[in-house]
Amino acid sequence: MAETGEGEPAGAGPDYSVEASGDTVLLELSGDWTGDDAGPGHEQLRDACLGQARSPRRWLLAAAEGFRWDSRTLARLYHLARAGEDRGIELDTTGLPEGMRTLLGVAHAVRAGEVESEPQPPPLARIGARWLRRYDAVLDFIAFIGDGMVALLRFASGRSHTRVRDLFYFIDQTGPRALGIVALISVLVGMILAYLGSVQLRQFGAEVYVANLVAVGMVREMGPLMTAVILAGRTGAAYAAQLGAMQANEEIDAVTTLGLSPMEYLVLPRLLALVLVMPLLVIFSDVVGLVGGALVASGMEVNFSQFLYQARDAVGLGDIATGLVKSVVFALLIATAGCQSGLMSGRSSAAVGTATTRAVVHAIVYLVAADAGLNILYDKMGV
Amino acid sequence: MPDADTHIEVRDLTLRYGSLLVQRDLNFTIRRGDVFVIMGGSGCGKSTLLKHMIGLEVPAEGEILIDGQDFFKARPREQKAMRRGWGISFQRGGLFSDLTLAENVAVPLHQYTDMPAGEMRDLIDFKLALVGLDGFGDYYPGEISGGMQKRAALARAIALDPELLFFDEPSAGLDPLSSQRLDELIVEIRDSMGGTVVIVTHELASIFSIATNAVFLDTGSKTQLDCGDPRHMLHHSDHELVRRFLSRGEYDSRDREGGS
């Protein structure tokens, strides 16, 4: 690890001596500089050298017998040399061990110019710039949806780069593989609704209407929303991570330079898969939620067939349609948030993590906002 | 025969990935102070061998002794001590992309030393200057070129003045001049600080300019064909394939001589 002087007893600590003659200052290093107590820092050495002569021209470095060094020692001499350089002092290393001279030479050979940093804009400008970026992000999102629609039209007219195999792959990833988690969450949500409703309705002796509450609640609201939240965490995050990793790995660049459109080749199969699968998952979720509600209700003097009969009356085609329209809108939002933040990801592994987080957070915010908006719209339309 | 001169000894080593045989019957010795090159055609298991030497993969059979000690039989504390003496630069650098170059170099220093912050900063400045990246400490790996990333990885590998420097394909993706510069730098650091260097490469220029010792792995017979000084092997290897590889560097698996 380090050069060893010969024949000197080990154990002498790091030491140095300074001596001036004319405009030359001789700095002699001695002892073992490799231990835990690594000796004086470069500021101390510099001050010692500067204190010796009024206007030194040359610093002469030398090593005594038995001097031991490692790269910490080198780092100090390197900074000492730079301090000298700044003052126009020439550094002479001929007295140092061969290895030290080589490495000091290497380190000095390529001294880059100082890296310029841009001046910080004033605080008000920073706040403004931040809001402008937000505004741009919204425009980007809308533009992304627009690009997606154009790609969809091209796909429908059979002129796009989208591979049907990819579409089936993503349908498989998004749909069948999510059934388990969707079933679990839906049955629990159905049960929660039933408990909530039966406690309130019991006060009016109208317990049988718990079926209406569960059925309408699942079909219009909870089915689409819970499925969407699950898919935002499961599929939206996966899309962002896949595309982000592809960005980091220059795969997106490859797609572009091969003349393919990332929108058609990468985004459209994912988006389309989610839009196709989501309504089916929502119907599945509605049914499972009803079963969950019925299980709870049958423990509370509303038997199973009574529950289903009541539920059938409560839910009309309009209710089912509103739920399905929601599911399509949610699917578009989840896929767009996932794919867009994946494509916009930076090229580092940390950036991929950020993109995934952003995909899920954005998706959930969009979902809830869109849900509220659609409910208002449905109310105005009277459906 | 282990003696003070032997730094790494590989004995009857067989490498597998699952059921896939990569290499078998590897036997060679790396002397202290060697610049040892692991060479061979693409896909012959050079990098796999390196991964076994640095304790990332467990050998299927045989053993690798570093200073007479088998990494996989050592206790965790001894393993940590062994790792402290190693500097490793991976094929794609292995820099942490969410840390700046200076922070990357600081990771091993934080892990193994408790040096004061000011001194650590000075040491990091010096290591970066040594690899020609003076002033780039605040850049992230994604913001610099591939060659600079290689050099930054070297700066991190030599942060602790390692006794053993492992290098996987130092010149991959570099132009001949940058690659030569990096080779020279590795040798200069080895000459100045002491220590042993193990390099995986198939670059003939590197092999002849820096190697003092080498082993040649063959893809066909899945074992080592020859080991020793590559300049000697160039003309005197018993295997035509080794001579051809070293004289031309062209390795055409279609007219491979097979495992003679």
Side-chain angles (χ1 to χ4, degrees):
Chain A
M1 263 172 89
E3 208 93 329
T4 319
E6 272 143 83
E8 196 72 9
D15 204 0
Y16 66 97
S17 63
V18 192
E19 200 180 302
S21 63
D23 55 6
T24 301
V25 176
L26 170 71
L27 172 67
E28 192 182 51
L29 308 172
S30 59
D32 182 0
W33 287 58
T34 64
D36 287 335
D37 165 30
H42 69 89
E43 293 94 345
Q44 194 182 336
L45 292 174
R46 182 195 63 205
D47 293 344
C49 287
L50 286 174
Q52 281 298 316
R54 194 159 291 268
S55 56
R57 285 274 181 70
R58 207 157 70 97
W59 285 348
L60 186 62
L61 298 185
E65 283 282 301
F67 170 57
R68 283 164 58 88
W69 57 278
D70 62 13
S71 63
R72 294 170 77 179
T73 325
L74 273 175
R76 277 169 216 183
L77 296 186
Y78 170 72
H79 285 280
L80 179 67
R82 288 179 59 151
E85 222 168 73
D86 293 343
R87 293 170 174 77
I89 299 169
E90 183 199 337
L91 196 82
D92 188 339
T93 57
T94 36
L96 290 176
E98 181 69 34
M100 286 188 102
R101 290 174 54 197
T102 314
L103 291 182
L104 282 176
V106 170
H108 257 280
V110 275
R111 196 171 164 188
E114 290 304 309
V115 184
E116 280 182 35
S117 58
E118 284 186 21
Q120 280 272 353
L124 209 58
R126 282 210 300 274
I127 296 173
R130 203 157 98 198
W131 282 102
L132 283 177
R133 276 202 301 277
R134 289 270 162 86
Y135 177 67
D136 284 345
V138 173
L139 289 187
D140 283 347
F141 187 77
I142 295 169
F144 193 88
I145 293 181
D147 282 348
M149 290 301 128
V150 172
L152 191 63
L153 287 178
R154 283 175 62 91
F155 178 69
S157 67
R159 287 186 298 136
S160 86
H161 300 299
T162 310
R163 293 192 305 177
V164 179
R165 220 185 70 201
D166 282 350
L167 179 60
F168 284 122
Y169 172 78
F170 286 115
I171 286 178
D172 176 50
Q173 291 291 315
T174 314
R177 283 159 202 268
L179 285 178
I181 181 78
V182 170
L184 178 69
I185 301 289
S186 302
V187 84
L188 290 177
V189 169
M191 290 167 84
I192 291 166
L193 282 179
Y195 271 116
L196 194 72
S198 61
V199 171
Q200 300 303 316
L201 292 169
R202 190 177 294 155
Q203 299 172 19
F204 311 103
E207 278 168 33
V208 72
Y209 287 103
V210 76
N212 298 46
L213 184 88
V214 173
V216 175
M218 277 316 288
V219 170
R220 288 188 70 116
E221 198 59 49
M222 296 315 276
L225 194 61
M226 294 316 288
T227 310
V229 170
I230 293 167
L231 289 197
R234 199 180 172 279
T235 310
Y239 287 178
Q242 285 160 4
L243 295 180
M246 290 179 83
Q247 180 70 271
N249 207 12
E250 299 185 329
E251 289 173 57
I252 308 253
D253 298 343
V255 166
T256 312
T257 50
L258 286 170
L260 300 164
S261 141
M263 180 59 78
E264 291 174 14
Y265 191 73
L266 299 171
V267 174
L268 195 61
R270 290 174 167 83
L271 191 125
L272 217 50
L274 203 56
V275 169
L276 291 176
V277 160
M278 184 88 167
L280 301 177
L281 277 179
V282 165
I283 291 171
F284 173 74
S285 161
D286 293 345
V287 172
V288 175
L290 274 178
V291 171
L295 285 176
V296 170
S298 62
M300 295 180 173
E301 296 132 39
V302 183
N303 70 34
F304 209 82
S305 55
Q306 231 177 334
F307 185 95
L308 289 186
Y309 186 78
Q310 190 71 25
R312 197 192 64 190
D313 271 1
V315 178
L317 261 183
D319 295 315
I320 296 175
T322 57
L324 293 184
V325 168
K326 272 186 185 176
S327 76
V328 172
V329 173
F330 291 170
L332 276 174
L333 292 174
I334 294 167
T336 308
C339 292
Q340 196 202 14
S341 62
L343 284 180
M344 288 186 353
S345 160
R347 293 179 185 274
S348 70
S349 48
V352 176
T354 313
T356 312
T357 309
R358 194 175 50 217
V360 176
V361 172
H362 281 193
I364 290 179
V365 171
Y366 295 156
L367 284 179
V368 176
D371 194 31
L374 282 173
N375 281 340
I376 295 170
L377 187 70
Y378 290 160
D379 185 53
K380 298 285 178 214
M381 287 166 62
V383 287
Chain B
M1 27 156 218
D3 55 63
D5 234 18
T6 304
H7 202 162
I8 302 180
E9 197 181 1
V10 170
R11 280 195 204 147
D12 303 324
L13 186 68
T14 295
L15 315 175
R16 279 176 203 283
Y17 266 129
S19 59
L20 177 75
L21 175 69
V22 181
Q23 285 284 329
R24 62 186 155 79
D25 300 331
L26 300 180
N27 280 288
F28 56 88
T29 303
I30 302 176
R31 295 182 306 262
R32 204 168 292 280
D34 260 343
V35 175
F36 188 90
V37 170
I38 301 171
M39 57 185 181
S42 304
C44 68
K46 301 187 294 285
S47 296
T48 308
L49 174 58
L50 192 79
K51 288 223 154 70
H52 282 76
M53 292 173 105
I54 59 181
L56 291 179
E57 303 279 348
V58 189
E61 284 162 47
E63 54 188 2
I64 301 167
L65 301 177
I66 297 178
D67 283 322
Q69 198 172 14
D70 186 339
F71 182 81
F72 294 101
K73 290 186 183 129
R75 283 196 294 275
R77 232 177 31 170
E78 294 167 337
Q79 288 188 337
K80 195 177 171 195
M82 287 172 85
R83 285 205 155 116
R84 190 199 190 287
W86 300 347
I88 301 161
S89 169
F90 293 94
Q91 198 160 1
R92 288 157 77 174
L95 292 170
F96 304 121
S97 55
D98 52 342
L99 300 182
T100 63
L101 299 190
E103 286 165 349
N104 263 287
V105 179
V107 171
L109 298 173
H110 279 301
Q111 164 79 2
Y112 289 108
T113 70
D114 40 9
M115 141 183 339
E119 200 196 340
M120 191 178 289
R121 211 166 43 238
D122 292 345
L123 186 58
I124 291 167
D125 281 350
F126 171 67
K127 297 283 178 182
L128 286 174
L130 204 54
V131 299
L133 290 175
D134 187 23
F136 285 93
D138 292 332
Y139 280 69
Y140 285 89
E143 298 170 338
I144 58 174
S145 73
M148 289 161 100
Q149 289 181 16
K150 284 268 157 110
R151 284 185 274 145
L154 177 61
R156 189 177 70 182
I158 60 170
L160 289 164
D161 298 350
E163 297 173 335
L164 244 176
L165 190 57
F166 293 99
F167 229 117
D168 195 354
E169 300 272 9
S171 48
L174 297 189
D175 66 83
L177 277 181
S178 310
S179 150
Q180 185 193 352
R181 189 71 207 93
L182 193 61
D183 287 345
E184 286 167 9
L185 187 59
I186 293 169
V187 171
E188 269 159 0
I189 289 168
R190 198 278 316 250
D191 287 349
S192 311
M193 311 291 300
T196 308
V197 181
V198 178
I199 300 180
V200 166
T201 188
H202 53 246
E203 292 279 329
L204 284 179
S206 301
I207 293 170
F208 286 118
S209 64
I210 63 177
T212 59
N213 200 353
V215 64
F216 185 93
L217 306 183
D218 179 33
T219 321
S221 58
K222 296 193 187 298
T223 187
Q224 75 187 62
L225 286 186
D226 209 348
C227 65
D229 184 337
R231 276 163 292 263
H232 180 80
M233 281 196 263
L234 170 62
H235 297 296
H236 301 98
S237 175
D238 296 336
H239 298 271
E240 199 212 328
L241 179 62
V242 178
R243 294 198 303 272
R244 248 189 18 227
F245 181 93
L246 287 171
S247 61
R248 287 191 297 156
E250 287 170 10
Y251 183 57
D252 189 349
S253 55
R254 275 165 304 179
D255 57 49
R256 186 186 336 112
E257 66 170 349
S260 58

